[in-house]
Amino acid sequence: MDWKLRGTTFATVFLAELGDKTQLATLSFAASGSSRLAVFAGSAIALICTSAIAVLFGEALARVISPRTLQKLAGLLFLVMGAWVLWAAFGPAEAPKPG
């Protein structure tokens, strides 16, 4: 087992998930529900399933596209999404609608 890769993956996913909408939804379910264990189990299983899908697709893509190219494409996608979010937040205001 590659412990360095395991640690890097854990730290990256852990930090990425802190404060995101999934964690906030889980917090909301735990606050309003009567079974914290059920909320924990449901959210943990969901994260495991989405991670499994990502690993399977990543492995399949790596057979067609080199891992280096995949890393560059993922980085570019994050930059595009970041620019889109910034544009939506600070871009030009919408033109007033006639009426």
Side-chain angles (χ1 to χ4, degrees):
M1 172 138 333
D2 187 344
W3 289 97
K4 183 178 180 183
L5 180 58
R6 178 189 273 190
T8 301
T9 303
F10 173 83
T12 302
V13 172
F14 182 81
L15 292 173
E17 291 296 321
L18 283 178
D20 79 339
K21 62 184 176 258
T22 305
Q23 187 182 33
L24 296 175
T26 303
L27 183 143
S28 175
F29 283 124
S32 64
S34 59
S35 176
R36 291 185 302 244
L37 181 59
V39 172
F40 173 76
S43 65
I45 292 167
L47 183 57
I48 288 169
C49 291
T50 58
S51 295
I53 291 168
V55 168
L56 292 173
F57 278 115
E59 182 182 26
L61 279 175
R63 293 179 186 179
V64 180
I65 303 171
S66 76
R68 182 103 170 116
T69 302
L70 279 175
Q71 287 177 338
K72 288 180 180 180
L73 288 172
L76 181 63
L77 182 60
F78 272 110
L79 288 173
V80 168
M81 289 187 325
W84 181 35
V85 168
L86 288 173
W87 178 261
F90 301 110
E94 249 184 61
K97 295 180 180 161

